[in-house]
Amino acid sequence: MRTQRHSGRFRRRFAVVAAVATALAASGGLAHGAPTAEPHLPEITLETPDVAAGGSVTHTIKVSVSEKGRVELHMEPAEGFRWWHLQSEAVDLHRGPVTGPNATCREEPWPNGELLAVCDVVPGETTLTYTVAATADMEAWTIAARASFQAPGDPVKYKELSEFSVLSDDPVEMSYRVFGRDTAARLWSHETYPVEVPGLQKGWRRDHGSGWNAFDALTKLSPISIVNRGGGIVAREPSGLLWYYPVSGLKYSPTLKPRVRVGTGWSIYNSVRGTGDVTRDTHADLIARDKAGVLWLYKGTGVESRPFAARTKVGSGWNVYNAMTGGVDVTRDGIADLYARDTSGVLWLYKGTGNAAAPYAARIKVATGWNAYTAIIAPGDGSDIGKGALLVRDKAGALWWFRGTGVASSPLAPRSFAADTYPYTAWM
């Protein structure tokens, strides 16, 4: 159960009122020198216990106010979770009517179709209650319950937030960003699993700015979710200067933070690829192949100002591959794996070991004929059946999904159509 009260806005306004009252008293500004009672500003307390899938609980909102006003209650996915589909996911959580003494409550529709609980309350203390029930098959969402109070004519809305979880064994499928650089050097991202339109649509993308043609190599360190969490982006200039763009980690903010200079000398590599967390220390790692075919591992540090440790040698002979992509856990053991396509078009899987000294197990043959594709990326699971999906582009420019199976010996399901062609010169 979470119990929270008093918004930051409430505390700031209370401090200002108290300071003004103190100053007036000190200067004799109060009429006849008589003390004036400090105003009783709204107090809001939420009690939001977790709810089990298939069960129900009672939540409460305690409000103490000195004037009549309007209390509103709204629920939405918490920070770190994508938005939910209103017709197929939000309806799995049912909120009952809000009731309470000295309160007149009703439901008011929002423009997007959601219902907002609204109660008119009178001065004094009021306890509002409502039930929350989750369907038996609901996923393990964490929900932010937001309650607010506003008096008529008062521009200030006093807000409180409390989170609760749906106790379920079924995790919420995340949606990820597929990045593409267009011919005008702008970087865009498309969602793999959006909630209102099909994935990877042209009209549903985010602009990440211009100037990205300054780089001859671009890679994500690991999948980047639509709530802006992941390993960030690494970009190399032709001169060999490497830059790191950390992700913000916040849902309602720009995806990327300002870039950090990593260092020079990276032109010795003809391939630089993010691998996800292959060393099992929670930090995304980077691999780089030199022109002699030797593969090197740069272990992630988790420190934005110094994102990589000194390199360690993985092995030689890696120049047989003309495409490598990693970052997803194909075998479902908690360690990121790596796909590599050789020059004859055979696709291989290197299972991650979690050992920085020997990060990959012996390769496993996955499929042939993969020279038919001009781009191979692992953006993260592309749907609720992801398990390490690959997104590929054929020679006509069309995009195809290869959903993951979670089985190392046969990790990819048959392909399915994803989207029409895009005018992108680089994918990640």
Side-chain angles (χ1 to χ4, degrees):
M1 176 189 297
R2 286 85 161 179
T3 302
Q4 301 178 6
R5 63 183 294 175
H6 301 318
S7 68
R9 179 175 289 180
F10 161 70
R11 287 191 289 268
R12 289 193 296 272
R13 184 174 177 182
F14 182 87
V16 171
V17 172
V20 172
T22 301
L24 287 172
S27 63
L30 296 178
H32 309 296
T36 299
E38 294 178 349
H40 175 68
L41 296 178
E43 296 181 2
I44 305 172
T45 304
L46 293 92
E47 296 181 358
T48 59
D50 297 336
V51 58
S56 64
V57 294
T58 298
H59 288 183
T60 63
I61 307 172
K62 297 180 180 179
V63 183
S64 178
V65 296
S66 59
E67 54 187 334
K68 68 178 182 180
R70 170 187 173 102
V71 174
E72 297 178 356
L73 172 66
H74 173 63
M75 294 184 183
E76 65 182 40
E79 185 68 49
F81 288 78
R82 61 172 172 81
W83 194 253
W84 51 15
H85 194 287
L86 296 178
Q87 283 73 45
S88 64
E89 293 176 322
V91 294
D92 289 341
L93 186 74
H94 176 72
R95 173 185 55 76
V98 179
T99 61
N102 304 318
T104 303
C105 300
R106 60 193 177 277
E107 303 285 339
E108 292 187 358
W110 274 26
N112 67 357
E114 291 183 86
L115 289 178
L116 182 73
V118 177
C119 295
D120 297 323
V121 298
V122 298
E125 296 184 358
T126 301
T127 298
L128 306 172
T129 62
Y130 58 94
T131 60
V132 171
T135 61
D137 59 353
M138 188 171 184
E139 297 174 327
W141 294 88
T142 295
I143 310 300
R146 302 176 188 273
S148 64
F149 172 83
Q150 188 169 25
D154 189 346
V156 178
K157 180 180 285 189
Y158 301 90
K159 300 178 181 179
E160 266 313 327
L161 178 147
S162 182
E163 295 182 351
F164 66 96
S165 297
V166 177
L167 306 179
S168 169
D169 294 330
D170 188 9
V172 177
E173 175 64 23
M174 182 51 70
S175 183
Y176 294 91
R177 298 192 184 280
V178 173
F179 292 84
R181 180 185 62 194
D182 66 19
T183 54
R186 300 199 75 84
L187 188 67
W188 304 88
S189 67
H190 302 258
E191 300 180 11
T192 60
Y193 187 44
V195 296
E196 302 295 348
V197 298
L200 303 173
Q201 296 303 297
K202 289 185 175 66
W204 192 276
R205 63 181 183 174
R206 174 174 286 194
D207 186 354
H208 299 281
S210 61
W212 290 84
N213 58 348
F215 307 114
D216 64 353
L218 290 169
T219 184
K220 299 192 307 288
L221 291 179
S222 68
I224 296 176
S225 70
I226 63 168
V227 295
N228 302 323
R229 297 187 179 189
I233 289 175
V234 168
R236 184 189 65 187
E237 296 180 6
S239 66
L241 178 60
L242 195 72
W243 298 91
Y244 171 52
Y245 290 82
V247 292
S248 67
L250 299 173
K251 183 190 298 185
Y252 303 113
S253 72
T255 299
L256 302 174
K257 294 181 181 180
R259 67 184 186 178
V260 176
R261 180 187 169 110
V262 177
T264 59
W266 286 76
S267 57
I268 65 172
Y269 301 118
N270 57 25
S271 180
V272 179
R273 308 301 300 173
T275 66
D277 179 18
V278 74
T279 56
R280 210 171 191 175
D281 61 359
T282 73
H283 306 310
D285 307 308
L286 182 73
I287 54 173
R289 183 184 62 197
D290 65 27
K291 295 172 184 178
V294 177
L295 192 69
W296 302 88
L297 173 69
Y298 286 85
K299 193 170 177 290
T301 65
V303 179
E304 291 183 3
S305 60
R306 186 181 55 84
F308 305 114
R311 70 180 188 175
T312 58
K313 185 177 180 179
V314 176
S316 59
W318 285 77
N319 52 3
V320 300
Y321 300 116
N322 57 21
M324 292 186 290
T325 187
V328 292
D329 178 14
V330 178
T331 57
R332 316 306 284 177
D333 61 358
I335 307 171
D337 306 306
L338 179 72
Y339 281 107
R341 181 188 64 191
D342 65 27
T343 53
S344 65
V346 178
L347 186 69
W348 302 87
L349 173 66
Y350 284 88
K351 188 175 180 294
T353 65
N355 178 8
Y360 297 113
R363 68 182 187 175
I364 300 169
K365 186 175 182 178
V366 175
T368 60
W370 276 64
N371 275 340
Y373 303 115
T374 59
I376 304 171
I377 58 175
D381 291 347
S383 74
D384 56 353
I385 55 169
K387 298 180 182 178
L390 288 182
L391 183 67
V392 301
R393 181 183 61 187
D394 65 23
K395 293 179 180 179
L399 300 180
W400 300 86
W401 277 117
F402 282 88
R403 307 294 186 190
T405 66
V407 180
S409 60
S410 181
L412 298 174
R415 74 178 190 176
S416 58
F417 181 73
D420 292 321
T421 184
Y422 289 83
Y424 293 148
T425 60
W427 289 87
M428 58 179 167

